[in-house]
């Protein structure tokens, strides 16, 4: 027995070493880093904006789209919630919150709390995607800087405006982030050898982004460039035939074609649709406001936000010109296509806001406020990997001087530290409680049940309706429809079926500008 012990110990040691080695490989792997980054971002976003969890309400479109989910189902809501384009990603967040509420065994009145959790997760997933998708394109330090800048992105949370209330923890503004995700997917598609399975996953993700944010449609022709460039060297009819056959036989072309067809089926041909009376009646955006909206707040906000209050029209134009010159002069030639594509996408988004949403001029305050941040945070995110690529290029050019080569990356981390100082996580902002529920929704639900506020799927009163119409909030009296049986069970469970609603709950403390 004693003679066998060393052998057993040797075998045990070898097995332990193999386990440790395997665990270490997993911890070093890209999948684990992505999961860890997502989990950490979830915690940061929750700490930055806990209001939707602490003070859950059905807010704005979240209320209307949840009603459609309850009455008409997922696919109808995703493609018909808006008259002009699909909102697949937003609806997926709301639907996920409803399913999570079911899994948790909580009552139907708690749905907005779980929708908030899924929203935090969605934003965390989005800002962590570069860690996974760009790991072979940017250095680890640059990816870490991009992640830190993304999770600490300025959102006006401590400004006292609506900006800190309507983004993190909400689903209605998740869709703007689809532009950033589409940009990452196209970057990967253009720089990767596309196996059929990989192409299918990328193109399915790209279609989802377009069916969430129609501006991402502009990236579809760019995604087709690897196939189209095969036609560039063609000089005769035989060469054209050979190139065309190669394109037709490429599985990546077919997956992209399927994505384009899905986008056309979901969104139709892109057209200009008015955004209500405010857009129709608003005059063209004045030049100074257009510079503030299009350049300072959109095209170059990733760079301009630390000095935003110092800017004016002349300084903004000068800063933009300097940034463009530096990028072209010191960026490596192999990344110029990336800079041109990224800045082109940001320019398109800026032009869309300036010319199609002129009413935003009324919210811009001569560089004194960043409201409404929801229209601009996606552009900020798109700019981050461009800044990281440029910092990497500068480091490469300065490789002969190691100390100087580190400075561009250090500058990115310094920006992230400044963002954390300006909007520190864990410091509860007043803007988180612009609309205070204080149990009002539960009492309104009890009142609706007591009064028999039954509704049909069309929202009209019906004595035998399967739904109950509940005012979402005294300051937002539009009804949300929830399943009648589920609401009755929830009211019975809390023993509040006869409690009248509190109609004096806090109205918005700060009105949107």
């Amino acid at each position: 027995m004693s003679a066998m012990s060393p052998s057993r110990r040797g075998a045990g040691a070898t097995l332990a070493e193999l386990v440790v080695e395997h665990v270490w490989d997993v911890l070093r792997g890209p999948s684990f880093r992505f999961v860890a980054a997502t989990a950490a971002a979830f915690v940061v976003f929750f700490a930055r904006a806990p209001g939707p969890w602490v003070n859950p309400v059905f807010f704005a479109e979240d209320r209307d789209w949840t009603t459609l989910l309850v009455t008409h189902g997922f696919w109808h809501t995703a493609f018909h919630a808006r008259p002009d384009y699909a909102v697949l990603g937003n609806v997926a967040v709301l639907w996920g919150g409803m399913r999570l509420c079911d899994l948790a065994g909580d009552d139907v009145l708690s749905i907005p709390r779980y929708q908030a959790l899924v929203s935090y997760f969605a934003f965390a997933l989005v800002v962590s995607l570069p860690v996974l998708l760009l790991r072979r394109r940017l250095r680890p330090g640059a990816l870490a800087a991009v992640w830190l800048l993304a999770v600490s992105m300025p959102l006006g949370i401590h400004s006292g405006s609506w900006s800190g209330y309507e983004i993190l923890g909400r689903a209605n503004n998740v869709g703007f982030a689809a532009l950033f995700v589409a940009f990452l997917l196209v970057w990967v598609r253009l720089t990767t050898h596309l196996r059929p399975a990989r192409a299918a996953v990328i193109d399915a993700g790209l279609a989802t982004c377009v069916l969430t944010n129609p501006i991402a449609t502009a990236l579809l022709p760019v995604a087709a460039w690897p196939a189209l460039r095969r036609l560039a060297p063609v000089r005769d009819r035989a060469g054209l035939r050979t190139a065309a056959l190669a394109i037709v036989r490429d599985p990546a072309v077919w997956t992209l074609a399927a994505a384009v067809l899905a986008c056309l089926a979901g969104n139709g041909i892109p057209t200009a649709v008015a955004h209500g009376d405010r857009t129709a009646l608003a005059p063209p955006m004045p030049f100074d406001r257009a510079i503030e909206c299009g350049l300072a707040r959109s095209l170059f906000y990733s760079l301009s936000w630390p000095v935003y209050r110092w800017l004016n029209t002349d300084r903004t134009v000068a800063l933009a010109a300097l940034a463009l010159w530096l990028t072209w002069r010191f960026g490596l030639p192999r990344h110029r296509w990336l800079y041109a594509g990224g800045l082109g996408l940001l320019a398109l988004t800026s032009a869309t806001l300036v010319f199609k949403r002129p009413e935003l001029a009324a919210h811009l305050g001569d560089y004194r406020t960043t409201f409404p941040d929801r229209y601009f945070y996606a552009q900020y995110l798109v700019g981050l990997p461009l800044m990281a690529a440029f910092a990497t290029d500068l480091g490469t050019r300065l490789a002969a001087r190691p100390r100087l080569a580190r400075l561009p990356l250090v500058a990115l981390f310094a920006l992230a530290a400044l963002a954390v100082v300006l909007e520190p996580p864990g410091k509860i902002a007043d803007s988180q409680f612009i609309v205070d529920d204080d149990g009002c929704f539960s009492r309104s639900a009890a009142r609706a049940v007591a009064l028999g506020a039954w509704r049909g799927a069309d929202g009209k009163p019906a004595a035998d309706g399967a739904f109950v119409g509940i005012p979402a909030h005294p300051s937002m009296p539009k009804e949300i429809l929830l399943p009648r049986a589920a609401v009755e069970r929830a009211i019975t469970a809390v023993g509040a079926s006869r409690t009248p609603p509190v109609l004096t709950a806090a109205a918005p403390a700060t009105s949107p500008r």
Side-chain angles (χ1 to χ4, degrees):
M1 295 291 293
S2 60
M4 293 178 63
S5 297
S7 175
R8 289 177 178 176
R9 286 195 298 269
T14 303
L15 178 60
E17 290 173 357
L18 290 174
V19 170
V20 171
E21 182 179 358
H22 177 70
V23 171
W24 180 243
D25 288 340
V26 170
L27 294 179
R28 291 188 304 171
S31 297
F32 177 81
R33 289 199 297 270
F34 172 63
V35 171
T38 302
F42 178 92
V43 173
V44 172
F45 287 146
F46 185 95
R48 291 186 66 188
W53 169 261
V54 176
N55 181 45
V57 295
F58 288 104
F59 177 70
E61 288 93 341
D62 291 2
R63 169 197 60 220
D64 301 330
W65 297 346
T66 299
T67 289
L68 279 176
L69 277 170
V70 169
T71 57
H72 290 80
F74 179 85
W75 294 110
H76 177 90
T77 305
F79 291 101
H80 298 284
R82 287 184 60 105
D84 44 358
Y85 58 85
V87 285
L88 183 58
N90 307 72
V91 173
V93 171
L94 294 172
W95 180 86
M98 294 169 68
R99 300 287 76 80
L100 184 62
C101 184
D102 289 341
L103 289 174
D106 217 335
D107 63 72
V108 70
L109 303 181
S110 301
I111 285 176
R113 174 166 283 159
Y114 292 92
Q115 289 175 337
L117 290 181
V118 178
S119 174
Y120 295 131
F121 174 75
F123 279 108
L125 193 71
V126 165
V127 301
S128 301
L129 276 176
V131 175
L132 180 67
L133 297 181
L134 303 184
R135 64 187 186 278
R136 295 191 178 96
R137 294 154 187 85
L138 294 176
R139 295 173 182 172
L143 287 176
V146 168
W147 183 86
L148 283 172
L149 283 164
V151 298
S152 56
M153 57 181 164
L155 291 174
I157 289 177
H158 294 280
S159 67
S161 72
W162 279 85
S163 287
Y165 183 82
E166 61 185 10
I167 301 176
L168 298 177
R170 312 293 179 195
N172 59 326
N173 292 313
V174 168
F176 294 104
L179 187 70
F180 174 60
V181 178
F183 173 71
L184 296 179
L185 292 175
V186 171
W187 185 350
V188 172
R189 201 182 197 282
L190 296 179
T191 56
T192 303
H193 175 67
L194 290 176
R195 298 186 180 90
R198 181 179 296 174
V201 172
I202 290 176
D203 292 337
L206 189 56
T208 302
C209 292
V210 174
L211 292 172
T212 302
N213 188 330
I215 296 180
T217 305
L219 291 170
L220 292 176
V222 180
W225 173 244
L228 296 177
R229 68 182 175 187
R230 294 177 180 174
L231 301 173
V234 171
R235 294 292 182 269
D236 53 30
R237 185 174 297 178
L240 178 62
R241 183 180 305 153
T242 301
L245 284 174
I247 292 173
V248 170
R249 292 171 180 171
D250 187 353
V253 172
W254 289 99
T255 59
L256 182 60
V260 172
L261 290 175
C263 295
L264 288 174
N267 283 344
I269 303 297
T271 57
V273 176
H275 291 265
D277 294 338
R278 287 180 299 173
T279 298
L281 298 176
M285 191 174 291
F287 178 76
D288 288 342
R289 290 288 192 268
I291 294 298
E292 183 178 358
C293 177
L295 290 183
R297 286 294 285 124
S298 189
L299 189 58
F300 291 104
Y301 192 58
S302 305
L303 181 66
S304 67
W305 67 265
V307 294
Y308 185 76
R309 293 177 181 271
W310 170 81
L311 294 176
N312 54 35
T313 298
D314 293 338
R315 291 169 180 172
T316 298
V317 173
L319 178 64
L322 177 62
L324 287 174
W325 180 80
L326 289 174
T327 301
W328 192 257
R329 173 63 180 82
F330 295 103
L332 295 180
R334 64 188 177 91
H335 279 154
R336 282 180 179 171
W337 67 270
L338 175 66
Y339 300 136
L343 292 174
L345 179 62
L346 293 176
L348 174 64
T349 307
S350 300
T352 301
L353 292 174
V354 169
F355 293 107
K356 297 301 181 182
R357 301 304 300 269
E359 77 279 7
L360 292 180
H363 301 298
L364 300 174
D366 292 327
Y367 303 90
R368 292 192 302 272
T369 176
T370 60
F371 178 84
D373 291 80
R374 65 182 181 274
Y375 290 110
F376 306 105
Y377 78 83
Q379 295 90 297
Y380 170 87
L381 292 176
V382 170
L384 297 184
L386 296 178
M387 291 172 57
F390 182 70
T392 302
D393 288 353
L394 283 181
T396 301
R397 289 185 180 276
L398 297 171
R401 300 181 177 181
R403 292 184 179 178
L404 291 179
R406 299 188 187 98
L407 289 181
L409 190 59
V410 170
L412 290 182
F413 280 103
L415 275 179
L418 179 61
V420 172
V421 170
L422 292 179
E423 291 187 7
K427 180 182 177 182
I428 304 300
D430 292 341
S431 64
Q432 293 291 294
F433 301 94
I434 284 179
V435 177
D436 190 5
D437 179 72
D438 193 26
C440 182
F441 183 65
S442 295
R443 292 188 286 271
S444 293
R447 178 70 170 171
V449 170
L451 294 177
W454 317 131
R455 304 288 186 264
D458 57 0
K460 296 180 180 179
D464 58 347
F467 308 98
V468 57
I470 309 170
H473 192 273
S475 66
M476 299 178 290
K478 189 174 180 179
E479 289 185 346
I480 181 171
L481 301 187
L482 293 177
R484 173 178 173 175
V487 173
E488 289 177 326
R489 286 196 301 270
I491 296 303
T492 301
V494 299
S497 59
R498 295 295 178 182
T499 304
V502 176
L503 300 179
T504 57
T510 303
S511 299
R513 297 192 49 199

